[in-house]
Each structure stands twice: as C-alpha cells, then as structure tokens.
C-alpha cells in the first residue's frame, strides 16, 4: 500500500515538474492547453451535449448569432454541436496512426542501426524505395481499393505509408547513440541486444520518440484531411467529412453558409496548430542546445 | 609523387560509377511500383476488374462475357490466362508505352494520350512553385541560422512549422475564400481552370501571362505547404555548417562575408537539401490531386480526382505509373546532381 | 619606441555562460618580438588558445574582450615602423585586411580547415583575391614556391580537393596558405596535435626550416612542452588565464621557477624514467567561473603556503630581467621539486671543472 502511495506521489511530482518546464515556453504552453481543451471537448463534450440528429429545414444556413452560436449547416443543424462531436474520430485516427507509425519506425530504425552491415543496408534500401515513391498518389490509389471502414483501418493504412521517413531519422539517432561509450560498456558486459536496446538506449530516446509521435500525428491529420475530401474514406461524422460536405454544397460562395465550412476547418487547424506548438516546446525542453542562453 | 590512381579497366570503372549505381537503383524502384500496381489490380479485395465488368454491364447493358472481353481489351490483359502471364503482358505493354484505354471518361481513348496531354500543366505548376519555395526557403533558412535564437529566428521557425502543418486542402479553400470571396482581390474565374477560355495557346505574351495568372493562387498553396519545410531544413543545415572549422578559418583568412556566405556556408549547407528536392516533387504531385480539384486546374491531379469519382481504373493506374516514373526520374536527376555538386562523392565513387 | 611586432597589455577576455562569466584571460601582458618564436604552454582550458583567437579577434560571439590593447607593428625593409595600430580598435574592413596579411592564425585540426567543395587552387584564389594579391599564373607560381617550402608536391596538391589529401598534407597546405601573403606574424595553435608521430616530426622540421628562411614572428600554442622547446626562443607558461612564467627557452628549462612549469617538465618522461616516477600534476584545472582565491594554482601546488591562498603573485622579473615568474616561492621551487635535476646539474658542473 505504502509503496504505491510513494509511486503516485513521485509521479505527481514529475508531472508538476514537466508542466512547469512546458510553461517556460509560452507558445508550447498555449499549444498544450489548447490541445487539452480540444481533447476534452471532443471526448467529454459528446457526453454532455446531445448529438444533433433532427434536420430543421427552417434553420438552414443561419449565420452565427446568439440563437445559433456558430451558425447552422445545410440541414439546419447547429455547427457548434457538430464541432463538439466531430473531433473524436479525427483525434483517434491521428493518435492511433501516430502510435503505429512510431512503433514501426522505431523498431525498424533501431534494429537497422543496431544490426548494421548487410541487414542495415537491406532495410535501408527497402525504406528508401518506399520513400522514393510518390506516396500521395499511391495513398490515393490504394485507398480507392482498400475498404477503410473504421478508425483502426484508416490508422493502420496511414501508418503503412508514414513510417519510412521516421524510420530513417530514428536510425540516425540510434547510430549516434550507439557510438556513445555506455553502449560499448554494455556490449562489453555482454548484456545482449534486447537489453541494450531497451534498457540503455531507449530511455535516452524517449524525448525524441515523443516528439516523433506528435509529428506522426500531424502527418496523419494532414493525410486524412485530403483523403476524406476526395471521398475515399466513407465513414464518420468528423470534421473532415463536415467541411468536405459543406464545400460540396458550395458553401464557399454563400456568406451565410460559410460558417458550416469554416467551423470544422477551424477545428482541424486548431488541432494541428496545438500539436505543432506543443511539439516545438518539447523540442526546446529536451534539446538543451535549443534553449536560449549558453 | 604519382598520380592519384592508376587507370582501372573500363568495365571496372563503369561498374563502380556512382552514376550507374544510381540508375540501377531507380530502375529497381520503378519495377517495384509497377509490380505493386499490377498486384493491386488483380490481387486486392474490391477487385477493380470485377468492378469494371459490373459497371460495363450496367452502363452498357451487355452480357458478362462481353463485359469481360471489353474490360480485357481496355486493360490490355487476358483475364483468363494464368497470373504470371498476365504480369508479363502487363510489363510488355508498359515498355511499349501502352497503358490501356480509358473506359469512362473518354471512351476508348488511350490512357497515355489523356495523361500526357495534362502532364505538362501539372509539371509546370508544381515545378515553378517548387523552385520558388526552395529558393525562398534557402534564403530564409540562412537568415534564421545566422541569427539563431533571435526573435526573428523564433518567429520564422515557429511560423514555418505552423504554416506547413495546415493541410493543403484547407489552405486551398482558405485562399479561395479570402482572396476571392471575402477580400475580392482575385477574380473568381482566375481560380478556376488553367487557362482562360478562348485564348490561343502558343508562345505569345497573352497566353503566357494568362497561364501565369491561373497558376498564381494554386502556386501560392504549393509554396505555402513546402516553404516552411525548406526553411527549417536549410536552417538546421546552415547551423551545423557554421560550426565547422573551415568557416572559422575562412574568416581568419580575411575573406569577405559575402563570399563566405555563398561559397563556404551556402554551398555546403544546401547539399543535403538537393536530395530532398525529388521527394518534394513526389509530395507536391500527391497534393496536386486535391489542389487541382479545388481550382479546377486541368492537370494530371484534376484528372486523377475525376478518375476516382468516375471509377475509371485504367486512368488511375496510368496516372500512378506516370507520376511514379516522373518522381523517379527527378530523384535520379537530383542524386546525380548531388554527386556532381559534392566532390567527395564524385571522386570517391570513381576511386573505389 | 618598441621594436616588437606585437605588444599585448592587460588583455582580459570573458565568456558569458549560464552560471556566470568565464574568465578565460585575466589581464595578460606579453610581447612578441620581431622574428622571435614565443611558445604559449598550458593545459586545455588554460586560456592559451583564447589568447590566440583574441589576437585575430575570432572569438565566439559570447566572448567579450573587456579590456586591454593589442598594439601591432609592421616594419619596413630598413627596420623602421611602417604601421602601428591597436588591433582591438580596427574597423571590420581593416580587421579583414589585418587577418592573414599581417597575422595569420593556423588552427589545429587542419583536417577540416578547408571548404570541401572547392579545390585548393580555388581557396588560394579566394584568399589572394580578398587581399588583392596575385592571381592566375602568378598566383600559381607563388603557391608552388610555398608548396616546395613545406615539402609538398605541387602537382599533387594544387588541383586537388581537400578530402583527397591526407591530414599531414592538409596541415602543410594550411601552413603554406598562411605564408601566402608573407605575414610578419604567424600564430600556430596546436599544429600537430591531431597527427601521428611521424607526420608530427615532418611538420616540426618544416616549421624549423621556414623560420630560418623567412624569419617571421611566431606564436606557438601547445600543451606539449617538448615540441615547444624545439621551436621556441621564449616560453610563456599559461595557467588559469594568466602568464605564470616567462623566459628564454634555455633558462626556463634549466631553471624553472614556477611550480606549474616544473610540474609540466616533470610530467614528460624521458627514456630512462623509472615507471614509478612518472608524475603528473595532481588535481584538475580550476573552474574559470569560480576561481580560487589568491594564487590560482595553490590547490594543486605542492609548495603552497598561507600567503598563496591570500594573495595572487604578480609576474615579476626574478633571476634576471628576461626571466619572470609569478610565484611567492620561486627561489626554492626548483630545489624542492626537481632535486635530481639540481643534483645532476651540480654533478655536471663539477665534472666540467
């Protein structure tokens, strides 16, 4: 019982310390808070706010006002309610795709760096081939044929296309770490490859991996936005679908309808920006060279 | 002292040539994509051939057999032959430059013809934008590196990251909205199409000016999506070059700043970025599908978006193969360029 | 009217670090005479490299020269002063002209001293053009002369790229480049540290040769006392940003007066040193942000007394006007710390009689 309390107290202290560090970089702090708010809105919000299912034709395309805080869409539904409900899928896909991409990239990169020699060359050649393809177009063509029915499928799909560039970066990080003395020491002690990888090197890479995770997430959001816009992702009621629908209904040319286009777009943009701001502050924290002052 | 190396036999030198190795690698990549493309047609669920057959049956009211024959002829494949024979047929057709015929959008027209008619437009718009983005990004990157950690640098770096993170789809819509609807600074018809109707193509000023005007807003979108990346890459490359001994020695030699920035820092810092140029082209070509759709720009991207909507598989496959080959060629050019620019590679390749 | 090429007075250089100001150079006075070779000896972090960088004002942006003057004099054929100026007061344009033409600083690790994408000929061309010197065929001929001086094959080197040359070759090319504009003063910072022993020997021979032929002033920065002894006319030992001993090379070796200098001499084993008697100076260099009180060497000094902890000794003439030391106990230092040497001297002196 007592050790558990100690562990919790430690964890709490660490969290406060990290939060303070994040707060040092104003932009990163803003990003962090924004991200938190978006996550709250998207996951807790729907529990509080009922989804709008009825279409009210009399309320079509009302511009923002007190009665309709963010305006209404082409079916008379409240935009702000659509906003609250639309984020969850986007964030889920981003997070899952980010995690999967990072895991694949880390495994491939780490083993490639560690095994070296022919194995390394082979893995890197495969990675290079994958990198050299016009992935955007390949993504589109393949999405056409593969049925992407749910969040997991889309996330997996995105990560299959996203891991190569990250794997390269991970590999070079591992290579530079590999040259450090404590790795040599561990090797001399015959501690075995998995041990060296996971107990010695990985902890030093955690910060880097965290930043890589966030970058993968932004990449996933980027890709899913245009896949949805092209109609290749046939599910969901998320921000991507909402703005694509609004666009298809020519909301761009209709000043009243514009809010139904801008609200979901705003959601996506805010999500991306918050992730970027947060990751830049992480970079500053974990990479001392970036910190101001010698 | 003797000359650096003895003359090796001609065949040995060819084999070790960096240029040749590059070319071989590229061929390999093309082969991979071609094979994957073939497997997608015949292997994945949601088999496009079957879809085509059903479609043909529905739209043209023909029997299944007829539909299959029609599909086979459109795809230039013998649907009943064993898979590997189909594969070789496929490869053979490719080498002959035959990609089948479109079966929806332009009944019976060869895909090659359709794609190659649109390709120059996309290459023009993407290429010009890339050039601008790369040059501007390089310049900003050097500035940021020289003034690193200053306010200017922080603003530039953060802006770059944020601008690049916004999806290209959204940028395109935002620009149309702002420039065309809200501020009304760009007439809406300039944001549709690649050329105004009625203008005769040719090497005259009217035509060229019109083309440029239509390229302008989509071009801004392309630049926005890539500028930040170039700037950040150049910045980090320059920062590491600035730490090199030869820069300090250059200053100790009393060389003027301009010479140091261009020939000593600039040249060395931009080397790693050359290889990224080709990847950028791939990235922009992918984005062109959406951007040309929004701007109704008559390029390969727009063609692709229509092919998706109309389920015209031969066209989709054709675009995939053509863009892949384009990207591979540019990668090869970029790699060769890099080898030529960096004497360390050039000479090492020959000496080994 | 001084006949020295460089007069340094009260030079103080500080770096800004997070913890505080790093006092790298603390009020140094030095003279470099015409055609003389002065060696600056010390451990890493002693400030010797900073002095060199300070002379050509190539310090990092976080460093500041907070006080001092660096009077440089250029002499004409007849020996009269042609130009005299304070380096610290030069404008950026004058500074660029000064660098390499009046004073050339050749760094250690010449392995990366050249732009990898330009041929050696182009880099010589850059330097010549920056100082409006020769070009074309005339430049090439001049370069070939210099390559001969440093014992390089000109054909091999002129059109080559830097990475095609070995480390030792690159170092010699850099020296040749340093001599291109015929500077009256050369600063060499650890010119042989990164090289293997045979190449080191080569370069040392080349340097000795050059000094004889060209008679430039040389500031030789190193941690290697034996190398310095070969080349130098005078030796200055630098510790914690100050000169602690300065004297003629023979005097300094035969009658060292500062415990640090003695420590350095003792630390170089001879062929016959018994392995138990190989010594080094205990402890480590001081923290330049938070220096100890009094004499900065006292924490590591075997002769330290109370006075050493309280007052920092000035560099003053000791056994003669040309030999200076900054130690309260300079008279006894050699006696106590190098008894065998003192005995050997007595024996030699007796034998000579």
């Amino acid at each position: 019982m007592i050790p558990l309390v100690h562990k919790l107290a430690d964890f709490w202290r660490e969290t406060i310390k990290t939060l303070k560090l994040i707060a040092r970089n104003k932009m990163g702090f803003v990003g962090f808070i924004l991200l938190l708010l978006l996550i709250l809105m998207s996951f807790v919000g729907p529990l509080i706010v009922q989804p709008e299912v009825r279409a009210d034709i009399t309320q079509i395309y009302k511009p923002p006002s007190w009665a309709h805080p963010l305006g209404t869409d082409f079916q008379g539904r409240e935009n702000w309610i659509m906003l609250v409900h639309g984020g969850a899928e986007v964030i889920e896909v981003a997070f899952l795709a980010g995690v999967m991409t990072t895991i694949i990239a880390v495994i491939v990169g780490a083993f490639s760096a560690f095994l070296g020699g022919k194995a390394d060359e082979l893995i890197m050649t495969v990675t290079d081939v994958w990198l050299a393809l016009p992935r955007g177009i390949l993504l589109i063509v393949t999405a056409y044929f593969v049925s992407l029915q749910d969040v997991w499928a889309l996330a997996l799909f995105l990560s299959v296309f996203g891991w190569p560039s990250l794997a390269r970066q991970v590999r070079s990080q591992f290579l530079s770490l590999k040259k450090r003395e404590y790795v040599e020491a561990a090797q001399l002690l015959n501690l075995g490859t998995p041990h060296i990888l996971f107990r010695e090197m990985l902890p030093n890479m955690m910060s880097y991996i965290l930043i890589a995770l966030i970058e993968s997430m932004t990449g996933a959001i980027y890709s899913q936005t245009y896949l949805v816009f092209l109609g290749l992702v046939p599910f969901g009621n998320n921000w991507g679908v909402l703005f694509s629908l609004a666009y298809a209904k020519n909301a761009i040319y209709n000043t009243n309808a514009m809010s139904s286009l801008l609200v979901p777009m705003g959601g996506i943009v805010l999500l991306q920006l918050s992730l970027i701001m947060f990751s830049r502050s992480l970079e500053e924290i974990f990479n001392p060279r970036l910190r101001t002052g010698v | 002292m003797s000359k650096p190396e003895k003359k090796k036999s001609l065949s040995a030198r060819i084999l070790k040539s960096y240029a040749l190795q590059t070319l071989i690698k590229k061929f390999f990549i093309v082969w991979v994509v071609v094979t994957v493309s073939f497997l997608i047609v015949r292997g994945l669920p949601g088999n496009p051939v079957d879809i085509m057959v059903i479609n043909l049956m529905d739209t043209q009211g023909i029997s299944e057999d007829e539909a299959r024959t029609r599909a086979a002829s459109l795809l230039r494949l013998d649907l009943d032959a064993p898979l590997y024979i189909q594969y070789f047929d496929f490869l053979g057709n490719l080498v002959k430059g035959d990609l089948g015929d479109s079966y929806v959008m332009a009944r019976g027209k060869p895909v090659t013809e359709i794609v190659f008619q649109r390709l120059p437009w996309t290459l023009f718009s993407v290429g010009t934008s890339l050039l601008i983005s790369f040059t501007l990004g390089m310049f900003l990157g050097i500035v940021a590196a020289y003034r690193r950690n200053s306010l200017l640098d922080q603003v530039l770096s953060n802006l770059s990251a944020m601008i690049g993170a916004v999806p290209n789809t959204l940028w395109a819509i935002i620009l149309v909205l702002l420039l065309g609807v809200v501020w009304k600074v760009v007439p809406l018809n300039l944001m549709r199409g690649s050329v105004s109707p009625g203008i005769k193509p040719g090497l005259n000023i009217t035509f060229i000016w019109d083309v440029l005007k239509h390229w302008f807003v989509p071009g801004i979108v392309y630049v926005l999506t890539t500028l930040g990346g170039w700037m950040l890459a150049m910045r980090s490359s320059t920062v590491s070059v600035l730490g090199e001994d030869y820069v300090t020695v250059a200053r100790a030699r009393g060389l003027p700043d301009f010479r140091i920035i261009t020939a000593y820092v600039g040249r060395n810092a931009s080397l790693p970025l050359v290889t990224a140029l080709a990847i950028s082209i791939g990235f922009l070509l992918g984005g062109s599908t959406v951007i040309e759709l929004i701007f109704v720009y008559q390029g390969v991207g727009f063609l692709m978006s229509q092919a998706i909507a109309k389920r015209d598989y031969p066209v989709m496959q054709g675009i995939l193969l053509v863009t892949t080959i384009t990207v591979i060629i540019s990668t090869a050019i970029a790699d060769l360029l890099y080898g030529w620019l960096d004497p360390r590679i050039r000479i090492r390749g020959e000496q080994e | 009217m001084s006949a020295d090429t460089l007069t340094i007075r009260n030079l103080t250089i500080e770096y800004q670090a997070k913890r505080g100001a790093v006092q790298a150079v603390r009020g140094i006075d030095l003279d470099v005479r015409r055609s003389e070779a002065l060696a600056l000896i010390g451990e890493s972090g002693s400030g010797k490299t900073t002095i060199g960088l300070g002379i050509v004002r190539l310090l990092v942006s976080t460093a500041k020269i907070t006080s001092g003057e660096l009077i440089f004099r250029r002499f004409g054929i007849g020996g009269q002063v042609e130009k005299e100026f304070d380096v610290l007061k030069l404008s950026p344009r004058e500074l660029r002209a000064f660098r390499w033409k009046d004073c050339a600083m050749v760094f250690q690790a010449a392995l990366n001293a050249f732009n990898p994408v330009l041929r050696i000929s182009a880099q010589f061309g850059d330097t010549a053009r920056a100082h409006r010197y020769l070009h074309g065929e005339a430049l090439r001929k001049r370069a070939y002369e210099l390559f001969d001086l440093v014992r390089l094959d000109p054909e091999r080197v002129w059109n080559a790229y830097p990475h095609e040359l070995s480390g030792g070759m690159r170092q010699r090319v850099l020296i040749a480049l340093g001599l291109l504009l015929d500077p009256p003063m050369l600063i060499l910072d650890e010119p042989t540290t990164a090289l293997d022993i045979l190449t080191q020997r080569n370069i040392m021979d080349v340097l000795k040769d050059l000094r004889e032929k060209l008679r430039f002033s040389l500031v030789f920065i190193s941690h290697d006392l034996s190398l310095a002894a070969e080349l130098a006319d005078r030796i200055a030992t630098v510790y914690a940003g100050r000169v602690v001993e300065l004297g003629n090379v023979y005097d300094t070796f035969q009658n060292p007066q500062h415990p640090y200098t003695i420590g350095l001499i003792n630390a170089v084993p001879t062929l016959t040193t018994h392995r138990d008697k190989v010594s080094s100076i205990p402890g480590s260099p001081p923290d330049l942000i938070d220096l100890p009180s009094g004499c900065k060497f006292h924490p590591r000094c075997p002769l330290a007394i109370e006075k050493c902890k309280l007052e920092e000794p000035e560099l003053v003439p000791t056994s003669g006007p040309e030999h200076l030391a900054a130690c309260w106990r300079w008279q006894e230092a050699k006696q106590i710390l190098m008894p065998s040497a003192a005995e050997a001297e007595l024996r030699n002196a007796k034998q000579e009689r």
Side-chain angles (χ1 to χ4, degrees):
Chain A
M1 192 59 208
I2 306 291
L4 182 63
V5 173
H6 276 309
K7 278 260 166 71
L8 282 175
D10 279 340
F11 181 69
W12 184 242
R13 228 173 297 132
E14 279 300 314
T15 316
I16 297 288
K17 222 173 37 167
T18 318
L19 281 177
K20 282 209 184 127
L21 270 178
I22 297 178
R24 272 213 284 179
N25 181 333
K26 279 178 287 205
M27 183 188 65
F29 192 60
V30 167
F32 180 64
I33 298 291
L34 188 56
L35 186 61
L36 235 59
L37 287 176
L38 285 170
I39 295 180
L40 271 175
M41 176 185 83
S42 299
F43 290 97
V44 175
L47 303 174
I48 307 175
V49 178
Q50 287 303 321
E52 188 102 286
V53 277
R54 292 168 308 121
D56 188 348
I57 317 180
T58 60
Q59 303 296 327
I60 288 185
Y61 287 154
K62 288 276 190 232
S65 63
W66 280 118
H68 309 282
L70 285 174
T72 59
D73 70 353
F74 70 100
Q75 285 188 308
R77 299 180 288 185
E78 289 287 339
N79 282 331
W80 73 271
I81 298 184
M82 310 299 285
L83 178 71
V84 167
H85 285 268
E89 270 174 11
V90 180
I91 298 179
E92 274 170 30
V93 169
F95 183 70
L96 288 173
V99 168
M100 288 193 233
T101 311
T102 312
I103 292 181
I104 300 177
V106 166
I107 294 181
V108 170
F111 273 100
S112 187
F114 210 77
L115 294 175
K118 286 292 179 187
D120 181 28
E121 265 185 57
L122 184 63
I123 298 181
M124 276 304 112
T125 314
V126 170
T127 311
D128 279 341
V129 167
W130 206 217
L131 258 181
L133 303 175
R135 268 168 301 146
I137 304 243
L138 200 53
L139 191 68
I140 291 172
V141 172
T142 322
Y144 177 74
F145 292 108
V146 176
S147 75
L148 296 165
Q149 295 298 358
D150 61 19
V151 164
W152 285 86
L154 180 58
L156 183 61
F157 182 71
L158 288 174
S159 56
V160 166
F161 281 89
W163 65 264
S165 55
L166 188 58
R168 274 218 146 245
Q169 292 176 41
V170 167
R171 173 179 167 273
S172 43
Q173 277 281 336
F174 263 98
L175 280 181
S176 70
L177 272 189
K178 190 176 166 186
K179 292 196 186 119
R180 303 255 184 95
E181 296 78 34
Y182 65 88
V183 174
E184 233 181 89
Q187 281 175 315
L188 284 174
L189 290 174
N190 239 329
L191 287 173
T193 309
H195 173 101
I196 298 183
L197 273 180
F198 293 110
R199 296 293 302 281
E200 305 278 342
M201 294 170 88
L202 217 48
N204 279 287
M205 301 227 354
M206 275 332 277
S207 53
Y208 178 76
I209 291 182
L210 185 57
I211 296 177
L213 176 63
I214 298 185
E215 272 183 39
S216 309
M217 283 174 69
T218 54
I221 296 175
Y222 202 99
S223 303
Q224 69 169 291
T225 307
Y226 69 75
L227 282 181
V228 169
F229 185 75
L230 286 174
L232 293 166
V233 180
F235 67 83
N237 207 12
N238 53 61
W239 293 332
V241 170
L242 287 176
F243 93 83
S244 307
L245 268 180
Y247 182 81
K249 306 260 176 218
N250 283 319
I252 247 190
Y253 304 110
N254 182 345
T255 8
N256 287 335
M258 232 188 273
S259 55
S260 63
L261 182 64
L262 290 175
V263 165
M265 276 174 61
I268 300 179
V269 171
L270 281 177
L271 181 60
Q272 282 288 65
L273 289 183
S274 70
L275 283 172
I276 290 282
M277 291 198 278
F278 181 48
S279 100
R280 288 195 68 83
S281 80
L282 279 184
E283 264 184 48
E284 206 193 87
I285 296 176
F286 291 120
N287 191 343
R289 279 179 292 130
L290 286 178
R291 292 193 209 164
T292 45
V294 175
Chain B
M1 277 183 221
S2 55
K3 292 280 185 188
E5 73 266 0
K6 301 194 284 249
K7 293 283 186 191
K8 297 213 182 92
S9 71
L10 190 63
S11 52
R13 273 199 301 155
I14 290 183
L15 272 174
K16 306 290 184 189
S17 147
Y18 173 74
L20 200 62
Q21 285 175 355
T22 314
L23 282 177
I24 293 182
K25 281 195 201 143
K26 301 312 173 193
F27 266 113
F28 178 67
I29 296 179
V30 173
W31 175 79
V32 167
V33 175
V34 161
T35 310
V36 166
S37 172
F38 175 78
L39 289 174
I40 289 180
V41 182
R42 308 302 282 123
L44 280 181
N47 195 319
V49 178
D50 292 335
I51 294 180
M52 269 173 76
V53 169
I54 296 178
N55 240 302
L56 283 172
M57 284 169 62
D58 283 340
T59 53
Q60 299 187 18
I62 46 183
S63 71
E64 184 175 335
D65 277 336
E66 270 190 56
R68 280 187 86 81
T69 328
R70 191 77 68 83
S73 110
L74 285 173
L75 285 174
R76 306 274 193 277
L77 288 178
D78 182 355
L79 295 173
D80 299 313
L83 209 63
Y84 67 90
I85 295 207
Q86 291 189 42
Y87 180 57
F88 280 114
D89 281 343
F90 180 67
L91 287 181
N93 287 334
L94 271 190
V95 172
K96 281 186 283 175
D98 181 4
L99 293 168
D101 296 333
S102 154
Y103 82 104
V104 174
M105 298 167 56
R107 293 286 159 81
K109 256 177 122 181
V111 167
T112 340
E113 198 183 297
I114 307 178
V115 172
F116 276 103
Q117 185 197 41
R118 311 292 191 103
L119 191 60
W121 290 98
T122 305
L123 287 182
F124 162 70
S125 85
V126 162
T128 320
S129 309
L130 189 58
L131 218 62
I132 295 180
S133 178
F134 181 72
T135 319
L136 200 53
M138 267 218 305
F139 174 69
L140 289 175
I142 295 187
V143 169
Y146 264 89
R147 293 175 202 261
R148 57 189 170 286
N149 295 328
S150 71
L151 185 63
L152 177 68
D153 174 31
Q154 290 190 350
V155 166
L156 276 179
S157 301
N158 290 325
L159 267 185
S160 294
M162 294 200 274
I163 291 181
V166 175
N168 48 5
T169 328
L170 300 187
W171 269 127
I173 298 180
I174 292 175
L175 280 185
V176 172
L177 212 51
L178 283 181
L179 296 179
V181 180
V182 176
W183 293 333
K184 296 201 176 35
V185 287
V186 179
L188 281 175
N189 59 0
L190 268 191
M191 294 195 287
R192 293 184 70 81
S194 38
V195 123
S196 302
I199 302 220
K200 276 177 67 89
L203 268 141
N204 52 61
I205 293 287
T206 339
F207 178 66
I208 295 181
W209 181 235
D210 189 65
V211 167
L212 281 175
K213 280 197 288 186
H214 281 270
W215 158 82
F216 186 61
V217 183
I220 297 184
V221 177
Y222 288 128
V223 169
L224 280 177
T225 52
T226 45
L227 182 61
W230 285 124
M231 180 255 155
L232 288 170
M234 187 63 178
R235 177 192 181 281
S236 95
S237 180
T238 309
V239 165
S240 79
V241 166
L242 282 176
E244 297 275 9
D245 290 331
Y246 58 84
V247 174
T248 319
V249 172
R251 291 173 59 211
R253 285 151 60 192
L255 298 190
D257 287 334
F258 183 73
R259 176 74 180 159
I260 299 184
I261 294 182
T262 48
Y264 286 70
V265 174
R267 270 191 70 172
N268 282 285
S270 46
L271 274 183
L273 269 58
V274 167
T275 40
L277 264 179
I279 300 184
S280 249
I281 293 188
F283 174 72
L284 284 178
L285 280 179
S288 73
T289 310
V290 160
I291 294 177
E292 288 185 4
L293 174 60
I294 294 180
F295 289 98
V296 197
Y297 187 87
Q298 307 293 323
V300 152
F302 183 67
L303 190 63
M304 180 60 129
S305 62
Q306 300 300 92
I308 294 174
K310 305 224 175 90
R311 317 189 130 248
D312 192 339
Y313 182 71
V315 174
M316 284 173 65
Q317 178 187 261
I319 295 179
L320 173 64
L321 292 172
V322 169
T323 41
T324 304
I325 297 184
T326 311
V327 170
I328 300 296
I329 292 181
S330 24
T331 317
I333 296 181
D335 281 350
L336 289 176
L337 194 67
Y338 181 83
W340 179 72
L341 285 174
D342 186 349
R344 290 167 287 191
I345 305 264
R346 203 197 311 169
I347 304 214
R348 194 179 310 141
E350 286 166 9
Q351 273 185 340
E352 275 167 16
Chain C
M1 193 81 242
S2 177
D4 296 338
T5 304
L6 179 66
T7 306
I8 306 180
R9 287 285 169 269
N10 197 25
L11 183 64
T12 315
I13 303 180
E14 276 178 9
Y15 291 88
Q16 262 315 311
K18 254 190 171 167
R19 269 195 303 139
V22 177
Q23 304 170 54
V25 175
R26 301 178 302 122
I28 290 212
D29 292 338
L30 268 184
D31 300 303
V32 183
R33 304 181 183 147
R34 292 185 69 188
S35 302
E36 94 159 327
L38 173 68
L40 294 182
I41 305 293
E43 297 164 301
S44 339
S46 53
K48 54 193 200 303
T49 303
T50 314
I51 299 175
L53 288 173
I55 297 178
V56 285
R57 290 175 64 185
L58 264 184
L59 298 163
V60 206
S61 50
T62 46
K64 265 197 328 224
I65 302 184
T66 52
S67 76
E69 48 176 33
L70 284 173
I71 311 288
F72 190 90
R73 288 176 204 88
R74 223 190 142 96
F75 295 90
I77 321 271
Q80 81 288 12
V81 178
E82 237 176 37
K83 257 193 317 180
E84 179 172 333
F85 50 84
D86 183 354
V87 179
L88 298 179
K89 296 206 173 69
L90 292 176
S91 74
R93 226 167 40 136
E94 293 168 329
L95 188 58
R96 254 181 278 131
F98 165 74
R99 286 181 185 149
W100 219 250
K101 186 159 82 112
D102 291 322
C103 176
M105 181 160 181
V106 172
F107 295 88
Q108 64 177 332
L111 298 156
N112 213 7
F114 290 105
N115 186 344
V117 299
L118 293 178
R119 294 183 197 271
I120 301 291
S121 50
Q123 311 205 35
F124 268 73
D126 273 344
T127 315
R129 207 175 324 124
H131 293 270
R132 271 173 259 161
Y133 192 58
L134 307 166
H135 59 265
E137 188 58 27
L139 178 63
R140 196 179 63 83
K141 277 178 70 178
R142 164 90 174 133
Y144 274 41
E145 277 170 24
L146 294 169
F147 289 146
D148 281 331
L149 274 180
V150 297
R151 311 188 198 175
L152 281 174
D153 175 11
E155 294 292 321
R156 172 100 168 78
V157 165
W158 182 242
N159 273 319
Y161 283 101
H163 66 276
E164 294 178 279
L165 306 172
S166 73
M169 293 167 86
R170 269 177 265 171
Q171 184 67 301
R172 276 175 281 171
V173 173
L174 191 55
I175 295 176
L177 184 60
L179 298 169
L180 178 70
L181 304 172
D182 215 357
M185 182 159 133
L186 215 58
I187 305 180
L188 292 179
D189 186 359
E190 312 260 21
T192 59
T193 304
L195 303 168
D196 63 273
I197 205 142
L198 289 174
T199 321
Q200 216 178 60
R201 178 60 9 218
N202 254 318
I203 305 253
M204 289 305 292
D205 287 341
V206 163
L207 287 174
K208 281 194 280 201
D209 218 15
L210 288 172
R211 279 216 61 229
E212 258 188 53
K213 294 205 182 108
L214 301 176
R215 316 255 53 185
F216 45 81
S217 313
L218 174 64
V219 176
F220 184 86
I221 304 177
S222 180
H223 60 276
D224 190 335
L225 206 51
S226 38
L227 282 183
E230 273 194 61
L231 214 41
D233 300 317
R234 278 195 305 157
I235 297 201
T237 334
V238 180
Y239 190 80
R242 279 195 135 208
V243 177
V244 295
E245 184 160 356
L246 176 61
N248 166 310
V249 61
Y250 298 106
D251 275 348
T252 310
F253 268 91
Q254 287 183 330
N255 292 306
Q257 289 163 0
H258 194 283
Y260 181 57
T261 316
I262 299 179
L264 288 175
I265 297 178
N266 281 344
V268 181
T270 67
L271 277 174
T272 53
T273 307
H274 194 274
R275 67 165 177 218
D276 287 342
K277 293 213 196 287
V278 177
S279 69
S280 67
I281 308 175
S284 44
D287 177 1
L288 293 170
I289 298 180
D290 199 8
L291 285 162
S293 60
C295 169
K296 310 305 174 199
F297 187 61
H298 85 249
R300 302 166 78 183
C301 183
L303 298 180
I305 49 177
E306 260 316 294
K307 186 170 192 194
C308 301
K309 296 194 191 140
L310 299 171
E311 263 187 80
E312 183 167 20
E314 289 290 320
L315 186 69
V316 290
T318 49
S319 57
E322 288 296 313
H323 196 157
L324 299 89
C327 179
W328 298 122
R329 301 183 66 186
W330 63 269
Q331 278 167 310
E332 327 146 63
K334 178 177 172 193
Q335 205 79 359
I336 304 180
L337 298 176
M338 294 175 71
S340 45
E343 280 172 25
E345 239 179 64
L346 275 177
R347 255 183 281 125
N348 281 335
K350 283 200 194 132
Q351 280 180 345
E352 270 165 26
R353 285 199 205 111

